[in-house]
Structures are given as structure tokens and as C-alpha cells.
Amino acid sequence: RLKPIQTLEGHGDRVWNVAWSPSGQHLASCGGDKTVRIWQRENSNGPWECTAILEDTHTRTVRACAWDPSGKRLATASFDGTTAIWQVDGDEWECISTVEGHENEVKSVAWSPSGSMLATCGRDKTVWIWESLPE
């Protein structure tokens, strides 16, 4: 049985996807307002609060988001045809890469269990597999 404990508000348009970080300490949400929000709470009984807004990278709806296994990177898929890779350092988020390849809307994104590959799929009826190269 499930019971609601909190409603998270803040997006300016419909919310399309949510994803828990591997540790369960963060929740990412993304939506039609072209943003991704990172939520966390200070302690296990406290309220969930938005601690970061990832914006100014996608130009259309952010349709999906997925954490890598380390919980330090977040991939976001957008209707603008791009996939962005965000990295966190402490409390600061930075878009470290944007990849293009799909002809149009990217619908979903998923990391491999090792975090070395990323899969994206789109409206163009294709699945792309990307390799994460060391910096």
C-alpha cells in the first residue's frame, strides 16, 4: 500500500519524467518548461526541496532523465533532438556535454550498469548507443 507524503511543485509546465539517484538521496524531475529540477531533503523526515534547476541547455521539452550508476552524472533527453550530460561537483551542476544525432525528438535515455555507455531513442525510430570516453 502507498500513501502520499508530499507534492513537489515548481515546474512551469507538465512534468514528463522523474528518476531517483542510485543513493536515493536525490530525485530529478524534467518537463515542458525545458528544465530539470533536482530535489533532496536534509534528513529522512524533512521535506523534499528543490536544490538545483538545470536550465538554458535544452530549447524544448525535456522528456526524460537518467542518473549514471555513480550518481554524479545525469543525462537528459529533449524534444529539441539533443541529449545533455550534466555533472555535479559538490552542489554545483554543469552541462559537460551535449550530443546530437537523432533526426528529431529524443524520447528516452538510459545508462548502462557500468556507466560506460548511454542509450537514447527517438521519434526517428532509432536507438543510439554512445560510449562515455575518459576526459
Side-chain angles (χ1 to χ4, degrees), residues 20-26 66-74 86-88 93 111-116:
W20 290 105
S21 67
S23 69
Q25 295 180 340
H26 296 90
W67 296 89
D68 83 338
S70 74
K72 295 186 184 298
R73 293 182 299 173
L74 184 73
W86 302 83
Q87 185 167 300
V88 65
W93 285 88
W111 290 96
S112 66
S114 68
S116 64

Side-chain angles (χ1 to χ4, degrees), residues 59-82:
T59 59
R60 292 184 60 201
T61 293
V62 182
R63 177 64 176 87
C65 55
W67 296 89
D68 83 338
S70 74
K72 295 186 184 298
R73 293 182 299 173
L74 184 73
T76 56
S78 174
F79 284 0
D80 67 11
T82 67

Side-chain angles (χ1 to χ4, degrees), residues 5-121:
I5 60 169
Q6 186 177 343
T7 300
L8 305 179
E9 297 179 349
H11 280 282
D13 200 339
R14 68 181 52 143
V15 180
W16 280 99
N17 191 241
V18 291
W20 290 105
S21 67
S23 69
Q25 295 180 340
H26 296 90
L27 180 69
S29 62
C30 59
D33 60 1
K34 306 175 220 169
T35 70
V36 178
R37 290 177 180 264
I38 307 296
W39 307 86
Q40 75 178 88
R41 57 184 177 178
E42 293 297 317
N43 59 61
S44 61
N45 296 325
W48 288 89
E49 296 179 1
C50 180
T51 57
I53 301 174
L54 314 184
E55 57 189 344
D56 300 329
T57 295
H58 293 298
T59 59
R60 292 184 60 201
T61 293
V62 182
R63 177 64 176 87
C65 55
W67 296 89
D68 83 338
S70 74
K72 295 186 184 298
R73 293 182 299 173
L74 184 73
T76 56
S78 174
F79 284 0
D80 67 11
T82 67
T83 299
I85 310 299
W86 302 83
Q87 185 167 300
V88 65
D89 183 12
D91 291 332
E92 296 297 315
W93 285 88
E94 177 185 7
C95 181
I96 59 169
S97 179
T98 303
V99 295
E100 299 180 37
H102 288 281
E103 292 175 11
N104 45 36
E105 299 171 0
V106 184
K107 299 287 190 178
S108 188
V109 61
W111 290 96
S112 66
S114 68
S116 64
M117 292 182 288
L118 182 73
T120 59
C121 66

